Amino acid sequence: MNRPVIIAMDFENRQEAERFLTSFSGESLFLKVGMELFYKEGPSLVRDWKREGHRIFLDLKLHDIPNTVKRAARQLATLGVDMTTVHAAGGVKMMAAAMEGLKEGTTTGDLPICVAVTQLTSTSEEMMKEELYIAHSLEDTVVHYANNAKRAGLHGVVCSALEAGHIKEQVSPSFYTVTPGIRLQSDSHDDQQRVVTPVKAKSLGSDAIVVGRSITTADDPKAAYEKIKTEWRGKE
């Protein structure tokens, strides 16, 4: 897969999402459908956008007992999604079960890329220790979770770009790193703690970036997308 810019479609409903997509008429995009939009619009939205030629990152962060996650992953695979997520905190058996479900549910096309969420980019070192009661450092915890994900047979992890290089060094150079928390230099960080620019993410070793508000709330979404893509990949 080339180095994708994945657009986080964090809209309240289908109408708002498709109004945004009019700026990209005829263009094939990589769209992240998260909980808000999926819970409102359901599987039909994913199927329709796939038919229109978009790639779909279905980000539901599965986290439950292994058997439940396996069954859920099997259902997600039938939608033909290109990428999906589980929570690494669910453990190795749960993540392995997710892969089993994806394999069982994939009847045509390629197996979806499955990546584990290590720690959310809204999580700070202080929050992790005081609220989540994890004594190890944020970086050590993320790398440990990434190693567990690799043991479970996953393709990679969702992590901050700040941790991508450490994962490449300590887990595997080929382990796929998907990094949210991407902002242009001039943008607000909003509720994100560990934020970098596309250029910085590239230098740190990210394989894919997820960008939301820098594109979706821009006055000219198409121009913002092209600017981010150029910073991320260079001129094509």
Side-chain angles (χ1 to χ4, degrees), residues 4-13 16-17 20-21 24 29-38 45 49 55-59 61 121 178-183 192 209-218 221 225 228:
V5 174
I6 303 171
I7 303 176
M9 300 294 285
D10 296 329
F11 295 98
E12 186 173 343
N13 54 51
E16 289 183 6
F20 164 79
L21 289 175
F24 300 88
L29 302 170
F30 207 142
L31 305 177
K32 182 177 85 70
V33 177
M35 289 181 276
E36 180 183 18
L37 192 56
F38 188 79
L45 179 69
W49 282 354
R55 288 183 288 173
I56 301 296
F57 174 14
L58 186 55
D59 182 24
K61 301 180 179 70
T121 51
V178 180
T179 58
I182 304 298
R183 296 284 191 275
Q192 305 274 19
I209 56 174
V210 181
V211 187
R213 283 165 279 201
S214 291
I215 297 172
T216 58
T217 65
Y225 173 71
I228 287 168

Side-chain angles (χ1 to χ4, degrees), residues 47-201:
R47 293 191 182 99
D48 289 347
W49 282 354
K50 285 290 296 181
R51 277 193 292 266
E52 291 171 16
H54 301 301
R55 288 183 288 173
I56 301 296
F57 174 14
L58 186 55
D59 182 24
L60 301 183
K61 301 180 179 70
L62 302 181
H63 189 176
D64 212 308
I65 63 171
N67 189 55
T68 298
V69 167
K70 178 179 178 178
R71 289 170 175 267
R74 184 190 302 141
Q75 296 299 330
L76 299 186
T78 66
L79 299 178
V81 300
D82 300 273
M83 187 184 297
T84 193
T85 50
V86 299
H87 260 299
V92 174
K93 287 184 179 179
M94 188 208 77
M95 290 188 282
M99 289 303 301
E100 291 174 12
L102 291 174
K103 290 172 183 176
E104 290 179 7
T106 302
T107 56
T108 59
D110 297 326
L111 182 71
I113 293 171
C114 187
V115 288
V117 177
T118 51
Q119 288 292 336
L120 301 174
T121 51
S122 59
T123 301
S124 65
E125 190 94 31
E126 181 182 32
M127 174 188 167
M128 194 183 74
K129 290 182 177 179
E130 294 186 3
E131 296 182 28
L132 304 182
Y133 220 52
I134 297 174
H136 295 283
S137 72
L138 183 58
E139 180 184 309
D140 286 347
T141 302
V142 167
V143 171
H144 181 70
Y145 281 8
N147 270 307
N148 283 347
K150 188 173 188 298
R151 284 175 55 202
L154 270 65
H155 302 93
V157 291
V158 178
C159 64
S160 164
L162 300 172
E163 293 124 17
H166 300 291
I167 289 169
K168 297 287 188 183
E169 291 170 4
Q170 298 184 49
V171 180
S172 169
S174 62
F175 205 53
Y176 202 65
T177 54
V178 180
T179 58
I182 304 298
R183 296 284 191 275
L184 292 170
Q185 193 68 47
S186 58
D187 291 338
S188 166
H189 289 188
D190 298 300
D191 55 352
Q192 305 274 19
Q193 295 292 325
R194 306 195 311 284
V195 173
V196 301
T197 64
V199 171
K200 185 67 172 177

